[in-house]
Amino acid sequence: MNRWLFWQKDWFVGLLVALVFFLGANSDLMQSLERKAYDLGVLASSRTPSDKIAVIAIDEQSIANLGRWPWPRAIHAKMLDVLAAGHAKVIGYTAFFFEPQVDAGLDYIYKIAELLGNSKLKDTTDPAQQAELAQLSALLQEAAQNLDNDQKLSESIAKANDVLLAMFFELGEPQGKPDQELPDYVLRNNLTNVKDASGSGEMPLSSLSVLPPIPALGSKALAIGHLNSFPDVDGAIRTEPLVVGYYNQYYPSLSLMLAAKSLNLEPKDIHVNLGEGVQLGNQKIATDPALRMHTYFYKDKDGRPAFPVDSFYDVLSGKIPAEKYRDKIVLIGASATGIGSLQVTPISSGMAPVVTLAHSVSSILKGDFFVTPSWAEWAQIGVFLLVALYLILLLPRLNAAIGALVTGALFTVLLVAHFVLMMTQAMWLQLMLPAALLLVGHLLLTTKRFLMTEKGKQRSDAESAESNRMLGLAFQGQGQLDIAFDKFRKVRVDDSLMEVLYNLGLDFERKRQFNKAESVFKYMAEYNPKFRDLAARQAQSKAMSETVMLGGSSGKSNASTMVLDKAGVSKPMLGRYEIEKELGKGAMGVVYLGKDPKIGRVVAIKTMALAQEFEADELEDVKSRFFREAETAGRLNHPNIVTMYDAGEEHDLAYIAMEFLKGKDLAPYTKPDNLLPLPKVMNIIARVADALDYAHKQNVVHRDIKPANIMYDPETDTPKVTDFGIARITDSSKTKTGMVLGTPSFMSPEQLAGKKIEGASDLFSLGVSLYQMACGKLPFEGDSMAQLMFRIANEPHTDILSIRADLPACLVAIINRSLAKQVEDRYANGAEMADALRQCAASI
């Protein structure tokens, strides 16, 4: 026995893989897996967004109607006036107003005013000239006011007193002190309630400089918040930096300030716990150590966006009434192509920043953000160690099947835990590292096992192959060809084995088991299709096996494979009957045309593969019932009942030899376009009723009366009922055939209920057949089997006059009586029903 070095051991491979994954935990690949799992968790969860948020989009329609961007700020002023009139709660503007908007005409107005002020005209004493000069000065002042868009927007912001503007920080670690102090209108947004209770030393994102709104606008705004985003390395936005640090000052995001103002809170009401989170009033917002909130992104529902988005132009023009925004948080921002950049989020590959802002504000207000708890890191390490120990200590001791099951179960648990925590607890644990370790470690260990054992396996296989070859030859010599073929298939095929297999195929042919000979030749052809006359042998065996009646696995001479119309091959036999040809296939088996060679009688032979229809534990009982029922039905002697001559069994293939009839069954005459004349229909059904009356007096119930079981020869005008007793056989199996053959369209209510079946049930089925042959429709129909059975048992049948109004009243009465739900309301026997039909036929 070879002793492996320790590095060849399974546990060492498991340890090595665990170390590699541990060192690569923060690699781009692993973090990419974590982010992908996070996005799938967001998509799988469901939350209801805040109904207090509305978005007004600067879209393509607005650009087309109001002109190229950027617009004159007078347009924004007008929008604020409209929303102020609609009593919006707060308005968040995502457009940046970093620079004054100077109109070219305004510059000229200032130059004209300056020129006029420096001219000698101002010193004139002429009253008329003084009046003209005053009028010109007033006109210039009015023009300046009309062209000063910043002033207009400033006045509208001041009037509304509910507008929040955005500022932008340049992120980075500052080295010294700022160039200048921030203006007062920015400083008043500084968050002063800042604590580092945990002593972790974690800080929010820091910045080097800031771009605030111009003083004319910023000084009038209700508040100002930063609009910095912080995408992950793949460019996707998953978090919202609620606080940004600026030289020992802390400024809130626009989303946080919007939420605060909507709750009538001030910056002093926002508490910052460094390294832990932010508290807005009584609402605690969990964040990562950098005070970034894991925003919840709400999915669209029923084709509608999570937040209502209206066109800027539609609101400005009055198409959408401003009253819609009463008490709402209104967010205004660009969504048109070319204005700003769309953002990638877990639910969208292109989301407008203003819509992203809506998701952030709703997450804050509803507490829908995702949380990474303080113990998450320890839990993640613990799960990783458990997986590593499984790979090092347990998996090497398990066989391949059990190991695969355990690994699959553990992997499923990790995935389910990830998604359940995100969907139900809004909690994110990074479990993809241990999940990936589990899969890769299992794959490497199983591959290593295979490679290390393959050499020994090959040696064992060679020894096993020679043993199987010798056993196969021994079984072949004893005539046990099936076992011999099984042994030969365990031996690798080569030229010498091809000779052995060829002889085996010839032995199957000699036993006339052509389907098995075909299997052997087909197996050989996979190795060398040009071996000897293999192609011809295979084609011949295939052609002969397609006419096989039964596959002769025993030693009985009459149980060998039988072939039809093959030169040089005797006709197949079933019992004492020669099989001439196939007549058709039914639900239970094949029907053949046969001949009794001793007396020359032509018969129809119906076969049933009982072994395929019934379970082994009930097969013997079914066989005894089959022959008992066949014997009972064979005693029936009536001109309208098919005569049964014989019954037998060949290899679990039961058969009944019966009178061969010309013509066909009545099923084709139930089609609306192929109905027989009413007198003929009544005449046929009357004779069938006579036949059933006779059978019922012999205590034989058919159980499956329907047009398909009534043969009719138009030349002799003779109907004959077939398949007496067969329904009783099939009725015993609930595992394969169900309650009787096919749908229950022709069953009586008591048959569906599983009650004792008597002759009245056959008369109900005959009434259904009469109904169908009279109008081409069934009296009971349903969209499902259950619905059909319910209607037969509980609801009256469809009035036949609603389908065919020209039917005589006497025939309608016969049908209605035969379809009565209660047995006592139907005809007492078949003879009574036959008399009624003949009287009705005579009257028309």
Side-chain angles (χ1 to χ4, degrees):
M1 180 177 179
N2 295 327
R3 301 181 65 87
W4 292 0
L5 299 175
F6 76 90
W7 58 78
Q8 293 177 316
K9 299 289 186 180
D10 286 350
W11 66 264
F12 182 76
V13 175
L15 176 61
L16 190 62
V17 174
L19 288 174
V20 170
F21 269 79
F22 180 76
L23 295 175
N26 293 320
S27 65
D28 290 343
L29 176 60
M30 288 310 308
Q31 291 305 307
S32 176
L33 285 176
E34 296 290 0
R35 287 190 293 269
K36 185 62 178 177
Y38 177 88
D39 292 347
L40 291 175
V42 175
L43 287 170
S45 59
S46 179
R47 299 283 192 277
T48 302
S50 171
D51 58 358
K52 296 295 185 182
I53 301 172
V55 176
I56 296 178
I58 301 171
D59 54 6
E60 280 81 357
Q61 177 192 354
S62 302
I63 300 294
N65 284 279
L66 298 175
R68 294 178 58 185
W69 182 265
W71 294 328
R73 289 176 181 170
I75 294 178
H76 298 292
K78 183 178 178 182
M79 171 59 77
L80 294 180
D81 293 340
V82 170
L83 293 176
H87 302 287
K89 180 69 174 180
V90 290
I91 303 169
Y93 238 107
T94 64
F96 292 116
F97 299 112
F98 298 153
E99 297 178 350
Q101 187 179 74
V102 179
D103 190 283
L106 181 61
D107 191 38
Y108 283 110
I109 293 296
Y110 288 150
K111 289 180 180 180
I112 293 172
E114 182 181 3
L115 182 62
L116 187 62
N118 294 331
S119 71
K120 295 180 179 181
L121 293 175
K122 64 178 182 179
D123 298 326
T124 182
T125 57
D126 185 352
Q129 289 182 345
Q130 288 180 344
E132 290 177 1
L133 185 60
Q135 186 178 2
L136 181 58
S137 298
L139 187 60
L140 288 173
Q141 185 177 0
E142 182 181 354
Q145 290 177 348
N146 289 330
L147 291 175
D148 192 347
N149 286 299
D150 284 344
Q151 183 62 31
K152 291 180 180 179
L153 181 55
S154 175
E155 291 172 356
S156 294
I157 292 173
K159 179 181 177 182
N161 196 32
D162 58 3
V163 179
L164 282 79
L165 298 180
M167 58 182 171
F168 185 81
F169 288 95
E170 180 188 353
L171 300 180
E173 288 294 335
Q175 299 299 317
K177 295 183 178 180
D179 294 335
Q180 58 185 10
E181 290 292 327
L182 295 179
D184 290 341
Y185 62 86
V186 175
L187 287 172
R188 67 177 182 232
N189 298 281
N190 179 27
L191 302 178
T192 56
N193 286 321
V194 179
K195 296 180 181 179
D196 187 7
S198 65
S200 63
E202 296 283 353
M203 300 296 289
L205 300 177
S206 58
S207 60
L208 301 172
S209 60
V210 61
L211 291 174
I214 61 174
L217 304 180
S219 61
K220 305 297 183 182
L222 181 64
I224 301 174
H226 78 79
L227 203 58
N228 287 74
S229 61
F230 193 80
D232 291 325
V233 294
D234 61 353
I237 300 294
R238 297 181 179 86
T239 59
E240 170 82 353
L242 296 183
V243 177
V244 167
Y246 179 78
Y247 296 96
N248 298 322
Q249 296 175 357
Y250 299 93
Y251 290 94
S253 65
L254 184 59
S255 59
L256 180 59
M257 192 57 82
L258 280 165
K261 289 299 182 181
S262 70
L263 299 173
N264 303 313
L265 299 176
E266 298 297 329
K268 64 181 180 180
D269 299 314
I270 300 174
H271 298 263
V272 177
N273 298 314
L274 295 178
E276 294 184 0
V278 176
Q279 182 168 334
L280 178 63
N282 294 324
Q283 169 79 335
K284 291 184 178 180
I285 307 170
T287 67
D288 66 8
L291 299 184
R292 291 174 298 189
M293 175 186 71
H294 286 88
T295 306
Y296 182 85
F297 289 89
Y298 303 86
K299 296 186 293 293
D300 296 348
K301 188 174 183 181
D302 301 328
R304 293 175 297 178
F307 302 97
V309 179
D310 298 323
S311 171
F312 188 100
Y313 179 75
D314 287 343
V315 179
L316 188 66
S317 62
K319 183 177 179 180
I320 297 176
E323 185 64 25
K324 175 181 178 179
Y325 306 102
R326 177 180 287 273
D327 297 327
K328 298 280 189 181
I329 302 172
V330 182
L331 307 179
I332 303 175
S335 66
T337 304
I339 305 179
S341 300
L342 297 181
Q343 296 175 332
V344 178
T345 67
I347 66 170
S348 173
S349 59
M351 181 178 289
V354 67
V355 179
T356 306
L357 178 63
H359 287 277
S360 297
V361 175
S362 180
S363 296
I364 294 171
L365 290 176
K366 300 204 69 181
D368 286 338
F369 39 82
F370 288 100
V371 177
T372 299
S374 57
W375 48 264
E377 185 174 357
W378 290 107
Q380 290 160 189
I381 293 174
V383 173
F384 181 87
L385 289 176
L386 286 175
V387 172
L389 289 174
Y390 165 72
L391 295 175
I392 297 169
L393 301 178
L394 182 57
L395 183 58
R397 301 173 183 272
L398 302 177
N399 62 41
I402 299 299
L405 288 174
V406 175
T407 297
L410 290 175
F411 184 73
T412 302
V413 168
L414 290 176
L415 288 184
V416 170
H418 168 81
F419 285 104
V420 168
L421 287 174
M422 289 198 72
M423 294 168 61
T424 62
Q425 304 299 319
M427 187 181 297
W428 181 36
L429 294 185
Q430 299 187 33
L431 300 177
M432 292 306 103
L433 177 65
L437 170 63
L438 180 65
L439 287 183
V440 175
H442 181 92
L443 179 62
L444 289 177
L445 279 172
T446 52
T447 302
K448 178 255 181 187
R449 279 186 188 178
F450 174 80
L451 293 176
M452 295 298 292
T453 58
E454 183 64 19
K455 186 175 180 179
K457 182 178 181 298
Q458 288 177 354
R459 184 167 53 251
S460 175
D461 286 348
E463 296 173 355
S464 174
E466 186 60 28
S467 175
N468 283 316
R469 181 190 182 100
M470 299 304 295
L471 285 172
L473 289 171
F475 283 121
Q476 184 179 359
Q478 296 172 9
Q480 300 183 55
L481 304 185
D482 290 325
I483 301 177
F485 189 29
D486 286 340
K487 296 299 180 183
F488 290 145
R489 278 186 292 190
K490 296 177 181 178
V491 181
R492 183 180 164 203
V493 181
D494 55 20
D495 292 340
S496 62
L497 186 65
M498 288 288 282
E499 293 287 349
V500 175
L501 290 171
Y502 186 81
N503 291 330
L504 178 66
L506 295 180
D507 283 348
F508 274 124
E509 283 189 350
R510 293 185 190 102
K511 288 197 173 187
R512 302 171 68 187
Q513 297 176 347
F514 299 107
N515 57 338
K516 296 181 180 179
E518 180 197 1
S519 298
V520 174
F521 295 140
K522 185 177 180 181
Y523 180 73
M524 295 173 64
E526 293 177 0
Y527 176 76
N528 182 8
K530 296 182 179 181
F531 181 83
R532 291 195 186 184
D533 60 344
L534 184 60
R537 287 281 181 186
Q538 187 178 3
Q540 177 178 313
S541 298
K542 179 177 175 62
M544 299 178 81
S545 66
E546 287 177 348
T547 55
V548 167
M549 286 187 58
L550 48 114
S553 58
S554 79
K556 295 182 180 180
S557 61
N558 65 347
S560 58
T561 302
M562 297 187 234
V563 183
L564 300 176
D565 300 327
K566 183 69 178 176
V569 181
S570 60
K571 291 184 178 180
M573 302 286 289
L574 264 182
R576 68 172 187 269
Y577 300 99
E578 289 183 348
I579 303 304
E580 301 289 340
K581 64 178 181 179
E582 182 181 305
L583 294 176
K585 293 182 180 179
M588 291 286 288
V590 184
V591 182
Y592 296 95
L593 177 66
K595 183 179 180 180
D596 188 337
K598 292 184 179 180
I599 60 177
R601 175 188 286 157
V602 178
V603 296
I605 301 178
K606 177 168 288 190
T607 63
M608 288 183 286
L610 297 180
Q612 298 178 17
E613 293 293 331
F614 299 92
E615 301 296 336
D617 58 350
E618 61 181 353
L619 186 58
E620 289 302 320
D621 180 60
V622 170
K623 287 181 181 179
S624 62
R625 184 181 292 109
F626 170 79
F627 289 112
R628 188 165 60 249
E629 293 293 331
E631 179 186 359
T632 302
R635 292 200 301 267
L636 299 178
N637 184 16
H638 190 275
N640 296 116
I641 297 177
V642 173
T643 303
M644 294 177 59
Y645 298 126
D646 194 9
E649 179 188 9
E650 289 282 357
H651 280 272
D652 293 332
L653 184 70
Y655 67 88
I656 299 175
M658 62 185 69
E659 176 185 3
F660 175 69
L661 300 174
K662 295 181 180 180
K664 53 188 177 182
D665 60 59
L666 290 175
Y669 301 114
T670 63
K671 308 300 181 185
D673 57 352
N674 193 38
L675 299 178
L676 295 171
L678 280 180
K680 185 174 288 293
V681 171
M682 288 189 282
N683 182 266
I684 292 172
I685 298 299
R687 284 180 282 175
V688 173
D690 286 333
L692 291 176
D693 183 71
Y694 165 79
H696 295 162
K697 289 177 180 178
Q698 306 296 318
N699 296 319
V700 178
V701 180
H702 189 285
R703 296 170 175 266
D704 194 20
I705 290 294
K706 56 186 177 183
N709 283 339
I710 303 172
M711 300 296 292
Y712 178 66
D713 184 1
E715 294 183 5
T716 61
D717 188 30
T718 303
K720 292 208 174 190
V721 182
T722 66
D723 285 354
F724 264 98
I726 291 182
R728 178 64 175 262
I729 306 302
T730 62
D731 213 12
S732 66
S733 173
K734 303 303 177 189
T735 60
K736 292 243 179 180
T737 59
M739 277 187 302
V740 178
L741 302 177
T743 65
S745 298
F746 296 88
M747 290 190 197
S748 64
E750 61 269 22
Q751 192 172 5
L752 289 174
K755 298 179 181 177
K756 183 178 179 181
I757 304 303
E758 296 182 343
S761 178
D762 282 348
L763 297 183
F764 182 94
S765 302
L766 186 61
V768 176
S769 303
L770 173 60
Y771 185 108
Q772 190 181 26
M773 292 185 68
C775 69
K777 294 280 188 178
L778 286 167
F780 303 98
E781 294 181 331
D783 295 332
S784 65
M785 183 80 75
Q787 187 183 49
L788 174 62
M789 294 169 68
F790 178 83
R791 288 179 176 173
I792 293 174
N794 301 281
E795 297 180 1
H797 59 274
T798 304
D799 185 3
I800 195 169
L801 292 177
S802 67
I803 303 172
R804 184 173 175 181
D806 62 339
L807 294 179
C810 58
L811 178 59
V812 175
I814 293 171
I815 291 173
N816 290 343
R817 184 173 177 183
S818 63
L819 296 182
K821 304 292 184 192
Q822 302 300 322
V823 173
E824 57 270 18
D825 295 334
R826 300 176 203 151
Y827 290 102
N829 50 57
E832 184 180 345
M833 183 175 179
D835 290 342
L837 284 166
R838 292 189 175 99
Q839 291 177 17
C840 181
S843 68
I844 62 172

